[in-house]
Amino acid sequence: LQQRRGLRLSAPAAIQVTVRDALNQALDEELERDERVFLLGEEVAQYDGAYKISRGLWKKYGDKRVIDTPISEMGFAGIAVGAAMAGLRPVCEFMTFNFSMQAIDQVINSAAKTCYMSAGSIAVPIVFRGPNGASAGVAAQHSQCFAAWYGHCPGLKVVSPWSSEDAKGLLKASIRDDNPVVMLESELLYGVPFEMSEQAQSKEFVIPIGKAKIERQGTHVTLVSHSRPVGHCMEAAAVLSKEGVECEVINLRTIRPMDIETVEASVVKTNHLVTVEGGWPQFGVGAEICARIMEGPAFNYLDAPAVRVTGADVPMPYAKILEDNCIPQVKDIVFAVKKALNI
């Protein structure tokens, strides 16, 4: 009636959605869409998930689609890989990726290499997902970032979301992909709300694996990051903007395959590069980005050496004040940008 009268109807507004709810929404939609999809892991069913990512899914889909497992990562990861080889599409949740070390033989030797070793005749469409990187107050054995570990291995795709849209779109794309995908989430982001566009609220919303996103346009320096540190980069960019420095912030979204073309195009524009990550410096994601830039056409456009901001090169301390000093903070990014720009 309003349209008949010539009145313009406004589109549904964007809404605030937490990363936890975005992941839950993605799982729900994909379980509903494809009966081959199932979720397994510790406490994912009756307890609704250790982080409540799978809240309500067991009651909706039952024991065959949402499966509680024993505390045996090697065991249930192996079951999931075998199910994928047999034509199902498992989503295997690790309570933390630190515990995926118990199952790394299944992830690397069984999942990642099978398509190649079978000359393409056996696909392994599986998603390994769960929290990665530092949490809060959980010490060294629960606070590593595995982006560089898994990003090192051919045969895997590795995604690392920041926002709620990242989380939903990348999880849906990962479940639909015919290759094994490692999805590295951040426990500290689960309860954080982000704006979700009308497009992202669609059941068919997916984010292409292997495509970075420019979160903020800038002209003076390129900041490249993934997962939670993207937020720190956005905060640092806001601080630096008040001092007349405009940062271009790139959210990698995918670690492997890496969208180096987007980074190169930005470096050609800004002539400066700073990488930011929560992982250790040696052989890290930032080290790979710097190497790719040095080897490619964008190197000739750099006006100063690239600068890496990383976690400290030590096992994570338990004490909060030491933990804070081991994780990149906004002030560290601001310092690195000023170093790169020589100001």
Side-chain angles (χ1 to χ4, degrees):
L1 183 61
Q2 287 177 312
Q3 284 177 319
R4 277 182 171 177
R5 291 173 179 168
L7 297 175
R8 185 178 177 183
L9 293 175
S10 59
I15 58 173
Q16 293 281 316
V17 177
T18 65
V19 171
R20 173 182 290 108
D21 289 340
L23 290 165
N24 178 268
Q25 196 177 106
L27 287 168
D28 188 9
E29 290 172 4
E30 293 306 302
L31 283 162
E32 182 180 64
R33 175 180 176 271
D34 188 342
E35 63 181 12
R36 296 172 298 173
V37 175
F38 71 97
L39 173 67
L40 79 167
E42 296 154 1
E43 298 183 346
V44 299
Q46 296 187 43
Y47 188 67
D48 280 341
Y51 307 99
K52 303 302 177 233
I53 303 300
S54 53
R55 185 177 55 237
L57 299 181
W58 174 66
K59 288 182 180 177
K60 183 173 181 180
Y61 294 101
D63 290 326
K64 289 188 177 180
R65 305 289 302 283
V66 183
I67 303 168
D68 276 332
T69 67
I71 303 174
S72 175
E73 284 78 11
M74 174 65 85
F76 68 73
I79 288 170
V81 171
M85 290 177 178
L88 299 179
R89 306 186 82 89
V91 179
C92 178
E93 177 179 308
F94 294 122
M95 198 176 288
T96 154
F97 261 93
N98 298 273
F99 300 158
S100 77
M101 293 295 93
Q102 302 293 322
I104 197 165
D105 181 58
Q106 297 291 357
V107 179
I108 304 303
N109 282 325
S110 298
K113 299 174 182 176
T114 294
C115 184
Y116 176 83
M117 294 179 72
S118 67
S121 64
I122 303 174
V124 189
I126 185 171
V127 180
F128 300 100
R129 54 156 295 273
N132 169 72
S135 181
V138 292
Q141 292 178 338
H142 299 76
S143 295
Q144 291 155 252
C145 175
F146 292 93
W149 290 54
Y150 287 117
H152 179 65
C153 301
L156 289 179
K157 294 184 178 181
V158 183
V159 298
S160 181
W162 169 53
S163 67
S164 297
E165 285 198 7
D166 290 351
K168 180 180 179 183
L170 287 172
L171 180 52
K172 288 171 72 74
S174 299
I175 292 171
R176 297 182 188 190
D177 201 288
D178 287 333
N179 300 283
V181 182
V182 171
M183 182 159 174
L184 304 170
E185 302 156 11
S186 169
E187 181 183 340
L188 295 176
L189 287 176
Y190 283 153
V192 177
F194 289 87
E195 190 173 276
M196 186 175 275
S197 65
E198 180 194 1
Q199 179 190 13
Q201 295 168 45
S202 162
K203 287 187 176 182
E204 292 307 310
F205 175 72
V206 295
I207 290 172
I209 293 174
K211 186 62 184 168
K213 180 185 179 185
I214 298 175
E215 297 286 353
R216 179 184 175 120
Q217 297 281 347
T219 54
H220 295 125
V221 62
T222 298
L223 290 175
V224 187
S225 190
H226 67 95
S227 191
R228 185 167 175 258
V230 174
H232 296 334
C233 288
M234 295 293 281
E235 291 178 44
V239 170
L240 287 159
S241 181
K242 295 175 182 176
E243 300 181 32
V245 176
E246 295 301 330
C247 302
E248 183 145 295
V249 179
I250 296 177
N251 173 9
L252 276 179
R253 283 178 162 174
T254 305
I255 306 301
R256 183 185 185 102
M258 186 177 285
D259 182 7
I260 204 65
E261 292 80 13
T262 294
V263 180
E264 285 179 335
S266 180
V267 170
V268 166
K269 179 170 70 169
T270 68
N271 310 117
H272 298 88
L273 173 65
V274 174
T275 68
V276 184
E277 64 189 304
W280 294 315
Q282 191 156 322
F283 314 116
V285 174
E288 176 66 19
I289 294 167
C290 291
R292 296 271 197 103
I293 292 299
M294 187 195 72
E295 293 167 348
F299 175 72
N300 295 315
Y301 291 83
L302 280 175
D303 287 344
V307 179
R308 290 182 293 159
V309 179
T310 72
D313 197 20
V314 297
M316 182 64 71
Y318 174 70
K320 181 169 178 18
I321 190 167
L322 295 177
E323 180 183 66
D324 289 344
N325 279 283
C326 282
I327 301 170
Q329 307 291 339
V330 172
K331 61 181 176 58
D332 302 315
I333 301 169
V334 171
F335 177 83
V337 168
K338 291 183 176 181
K339 178 183 176 182
L341 294 173
N342 196 28
I343 56 175

